[in-house]
Amino acid sequence: MINLWPLILEHMLIVVVATVISIALGVVLGVIAYWVRHVDTVIMWCAEAIQTIPSLALLAMLMIFFGLGNTTIIAGLVLYALLPIVRNTYTGLAGISHHIKDAARGMGMSKLQRLIKIELPLSFPLIFSGIKIAVVNSLSIAVMGVLIGAGGLGYPIYRGVQTRNLERILNGAIPVVLMALIFDYTMSKIEQRLIKRAR
Amino acid sequence: MIKFQNISKSYGHSIVLDDISFEIKQGEFVVLIGPSGCGKTTTLKTINRLIEPNKGKIFINGKDITKVNPVELRRTIGYVIQQIGLFPNMTVEQNIAVVPKLLKYPKPKWQEIVHNLLELVDMPYEEFAHKYPSELSGGQQQRIGVLRALAASPPIVLMDEPFGALDPITRDSLQEEVKHLQKKLKKTIVFVTHDMEEALRMADTIVFMNRGKIIQMASPEELLQNPADPIIKSFMGRHMENENNAPKLLAEDFMRTKVLKVPKTSHTLECIELMSRRDVNSLIVLNDDDTYAGTVTIEAIKAHGKAGREISELLSEDAVTIHRKEDARQAFDKLLASSSNYVIVLNDNRTVAGLITRTSMAKALGEALWGEMKS
Ligand SMILES: Nc1ncnc2c1ncn2[C@@H]1O[C@H](COP(=O)(O)OP(=O)(O)OP(=O)(O)O)[C@@H](O)[C@H]1O
Ligand SMILES: [Mg+2]
């Protein structure tokens, strides 16, 4: 058996880096969609359009800009992760009761103060759900990275397919599935706690 | 202090405020009342610029408010909204301290404000400051809403149907509290309601609105005696009718639930201290299991009490008690017949539910009188 740990760690690292970037980008875009009238439809449309591009095609296009390697798969994961995060940020912010928004305005909070002190904290449970979806999706999509020269668990799977070696395929696939399950389970637990606390 | 000059507001073709002009004096308690959709909330929100009128000007202390930055303006005007509007992600303390923090008060200062305000409404700091709004009752939440509006001592406070969603007993005691606070802190209050009884009870001046216009602006007495328009009469009439159709009134409908209670084992000094702090001359004394034991008066303590002794020795069991489900009339008869200022209302298990005082009785009688005047 080959040592899988370096591959698992690299796989995780790719997903974590991509998630961090997509959270930053997604929340900012979600806020812009919430703040700027009419921009919301444009942003949502773009985020959804990206999802419809087949992953292989998307990665191929990104390869033109980023070349072979981890950067390209990270860029691809970021683009895929945007939709759930942007959408949930936007829905969360827009869904806050207008009484609370009125109160915050009436207390004399500026737009930015309202966002940071009231609106983002109240949307956090929903934003977190978006992040969970993004992470779980990214864990499996990251396998495609092997096709554009990135590391991670895609490699044993790909080699296994090429050599028609089931054991090798499972060596890569099982950790991916397990990681997805573990992340899904623990993040769902946290999500439930957040929702319960927000009531 | 606040002057409306020809204010109009419309959305598309619908005119919401139609050339409104009036003036509110410093320290005045003004109540805006009128049918749903007549423009009360809109009027209120033009004062803190949550809504900008299409025409006209508003002056506060002679200054055109459009010349003031709206964010700065709002920090100087207290605001209580109808649907409570506490921030669910903040504790009671953080909610109350919102405006002081925006105004960059140092921490000790805003902490002191929170302490003092909570004490003002009998919600001990240790017990409530760190709770979240969802852990409070409706009445407690609304109290915090009022405190939040007062925290930075704004000279003007706007209140939009603050007690609309509360049960009658809680509403009653909150009305009393707000009126008391207003007098004590000398605030100018603009208060919206659609409840005529509330308006008559709280207002120095009532502004009656209909379809975006002011129909009458007058003192409660004047409004009762000379309603300027049939719609005002019908507004009171509807209110009176409800009152007459109401089910039999019980002792509990007239009691105040905020009463000072002490355990039997308290010492004389602490009781005296409590009485002088709260400006009362007697306290209700409870047994160990919280059931009613009797009362203790300041006279009794002064005459017979020795420092450091338990008040159980000075207990008087003369006070009149009544069960909460008994007819209110019984309570009034007992109150009138006794020499005391109050009747104590008890629950089934003999714990104390509240007090009926001469004031709460007078209020009830006043309502009966208005009902008769109408028919
Ligand atoms: N943003 C808006 N767009 C269009 N119409 C509005 C808007 N806000 C309020 N209105 C209309 O303006 C009128 C007055 O509203 P306002 O909220 O001031 O009434 P109100 O007297 O406070 O009524 P209520 O007692 O029901 O609270 C209503 O007919 C309402 O439908
Ligand atoms: Mg209203």
Side-chain angles (χ1 to χ4, degrees):
Chain A
M1 230 183 101
I2 53 169
N3 185 5
L4 282 171
W5 285 111
L7 295 179
I8 293 177
L9 283 181
E10 190 174 16
H11 199 88
M12 286 266 286
L13 191 68
I14 289 170
V15 170
V16 167
V17 171
T19 306
V20 169
I21 297 174
S22 57
I23 291 172
L25 208 58
V27 170
V28 168
L29 286 174
V31 169
I32 292 175
Y34 168 63
W35 269 356
V36 189
R37 208 180 290 188
H38 305 307
V39 170
D40 51 352
T41 37
V42 179
I43 290 181
M44 296 311 243
W45 185 85
C46 289
E48 273 172 50
I50 292 171
Q51 297 278 307
T52 62
I53 307 174
S55 39
L56 207 52
L58 185 73
L59 290 178
M61 283 193 285
L62 288 170
M63 212 168 65
I64 299 171
F65 296 103
F66 297 106
L68 289 175
N70 286 349
T71 320
T72 307
I73 186 69
I74 288 174
L77 292 180
V78 167
L79 287 179
Y80 273 115
L82 275 183
L83 180 66
I85 295 176
V86 174
R87 187 185 44 205
N88 284 21
T89 304
Y90 175 75
T91 327
L93 293 172
I96 296 170
S97 122
H98 69 91
H99 308 306
I100 289 174
K101 293 179 186 170
D102 250 14
R105 231 150 61 89
M107 294 299 119
M109 290 190 187
S110 67
K111 209 168 174 174
L112 192 63
Q113 285 168 333
R114 295 200 300 270
L115 182 77
I116 290 169
K117 290 178 195 243
I118 312 286
E119 295 167 343
L120 280 180
L122 288 180
S123 317
F124 185 69
L126 208 59
I127 298 176
F128 188 83
S129 313
I131 295 174
K132 183 192 81 178
I133 298 171
V135 168
V136 174
N137 284 346
S138 299
L139 280 169
S140 54
I141 298 176
V143 170
M144 308 285 288
V146 66
L147 299 176
I148 47 166
L153 288 163
Y155 179 71
I157 297 177
Y158 183 67
R159 294 293 300 177
V161 171
Q162 279 192 328
T163 57
R164 299 182 198 276
N165 181 340
L166 186 63
E167 193 194 320
R168 265 211 150 161
I169 296 178
L170 291 180
N171 265 341
I174 289 172
V176 172
V177 172
L178 280 181
M179 279 197 305
L181 286 177
I182 291 169
F183 270 93
D184 190 44
Y185 179 80
T186 46
M187 289 179 87
S188 296
K189 280 276 173 248
I190 298 172
E191 187 184 349
Q192 275 164 20
R193 290 257 297 272
L194 288 172
I195 290 170
K196 210 168 104 197
R197 218 182 58 190
R199 235 173 305 190
Chain B
M1 172 143 211
I2 309 175
K3 186 172 171 197
F4 278 68
Q5 198 176 74
N6 307 103
I7 291 292
S8 295
K9 174 73 187 176
S10 48
Y11 293 102
H13 291 296
S14 77
I15 297 169
V16 177
L17 294 182
D18 190 0
D19 196 24
I20 283 187
S21 300
F22 69 106
E23 203 169 337
I24 294 169
K25 290 196 282 289
Q26 160 106 38
E28 199 173 13
F29 198 121
V30 173
V31 174
L32 305 179
I33 190 169
S36 188
C38 69
K40 305 181 291 290
T41 297
T42 310
T43 306
L44 201 71
K45 283 183 171 176
T46 55
I47 300 176
N48 62 3
R49 294 188 62 187
L50 286 178
I51 292 177
E52 304 281 359
N54 303 108
K55 276 202 219 93
K57 281 192 157 72
I58 296 174
F59 299 91
I60 294 181
N61 290 328
K63 191 161 185 191
D64 180 350
I65 60 169
T66 55
K67 301 278 190 294
V68 186
N69 174 316
V71 169
E72 311 274 312
L73 176 77
R74 289 173 198 143
R75 291 177 187 172
T76 64
I77 300 180
Y79 184 42
V80 186
I81 70 165
Q82 185 168 1
Q83 289 80 5
I84 306 187
L86 291 180
F87 305 126
N89 57 318
M90 296 184 181
T91 61
V92 164
E93 173 161 45
Q94 291 166 333
N95 262 289
I96 297 177
V98 162
V99 184
K101 279 186 189 167
L102 289 172
L103 291 170
K104 307 239 160 26
Y105 286 19
K107 189 170 180 193
K109 188 165 168 201
W110 62 250
Q111 278 184 326
E112 189 191 330
I113 290 174
V114 174
H115 270 92
N116 292 343
L117 285 175
L118 283 173
E119 190 173 335
L120 215 55
V121 296
D122 274 318
M123 292 173 67
Y125 180 90
E126 289 70 26
E127 191 179 340
F128 290 101
H130 303 295
K131 286 197 165 152
Y132 284 89
S134 59
E135 299 169 299
L136 303 178
S137 73
Q140 290 168 338
Q141 290 183 20
Q142 205 50 275
R143 277 192 180 82
I144 303 304
V146 172
L147 297 188
R148 182 176 65 177
L150 295 173
S153 317
I156 301 172
V157 181
L158 312 177
M159 303 185 150
D160 194 350
E161 303 201 31
F163 311 138
L166 299 175
D167 64 276
I169 296 172
T170 316
R171 191 185 319 149
D172 209 71
S173 77
L174 273 177
Q175 284 171 347
E176 238 169 76
E177 264 169 44
V178 164
K179 188 76 195 166
H180 178 75
L181 287 176
Q182 183 246 349
K183 286 214 180 104
K184 188 166 150 188
L185 308 173
K186 302 198 171 49
K187 302 288 179 198
T188 306
I189 294 192
V190 190
F191 187 106
V192 168
T193 182
H194 57 246
D195 176 358
M196 189 51 106
E197 189 187 341
E198 185 166 70
L200 293 169
R201 187 179 294 177
M202 312 277 283
D204 297 322
T205 304
I206 297 180
V207 176
F208 195 101
M209 296 180 66
N210 191 26
R211 300 184 183 194
K213 282 188 191 309
I214 295 179
I215 309 263
Q216 187 172 18
M217 180 164 176
S219 69
E221 296 77 15
E222 170 77 14
L223 197 83
L224 278 171
Q225 279 161 15
N226 304 312
D229 191 283
I231 187 174
I232 302 180
K233 262 192 213 152
S234 80
F235 220 73
M236 290 190 283
R238 208 171 58 215
H239 158 70
M240 300 304 176
E241 248 165 48
N242 284 345
E243 206 61 39
N244 288 344
N245 292 343
K248 193 176 86 166
L249 293 168
L250 307 176
E252 65 182 7
D253 295 326
F254 294 113
M255 70 189 181
R256 337 179 1 192
T257 47
K258 255 182 54 188
V259 292
L260 288 174
K261 294 170 272 197
V262 290
K264 224 165 155 175
T265 50
S266 314
H267 296 280
T268 49
L269 275 182
E270 50 181 307
C271 289
I272 293 220
E273 196 256 311
L274 182 64
M275 286 192 229
S276 67
R277 188 148 49 91
R278 292 303 170 74
D279 203 21
V280 295
N281 49 27
S282 65
L283 295 172
I284 295 181
V285 183
L286 303 181
N287 292 317
D288 295 338
D289 57 357
D290 276 358
T291 55
Y292 170 71
T295 58
V296 57
T297 61
I298 201 152
E299 287 86 359
I301 298 183
K302 281 191 176 146
H304 312 288
K306 299 196 179 64
R309 300 290 281 275
E310 287 191 1
I311 49 167
S312 52
E313 306 171 12
L314 303 166
L315 216 56
S316 148
E317 283 163 27
D318 295 343
V320 184
T321 62
I322 190 166
H323 186 266
R324 65 184 300 161
K325 294 291 178 201
E326 272 188 76
D327 195 329
R329 223 189 130 156
Q330 293 274 337
F332 295 164
D333 290 344
K334 283 186 175 180
L335 184 55
L336 289 175
S338 89
S339 59
S340 139
N341 283 325
Y342 51 80
V343 171
I344 297 166
V345 187
L346 298 182
N347 293 317
D348 277 333
N349 54 7
R350 290 197 59 79
T351 54
V352 177
L355 275 186
I356 297 180
T357 62
R358 285 177 190 264
T359 323
S360 54
M361 184 179 86
K363 221 185 275 170
L365 289 177
E367 281 161 21
L369 205 66
W370 288 333
E372 276 168 24
M373 264 167 40
K374 188 233 152 201
S375 54

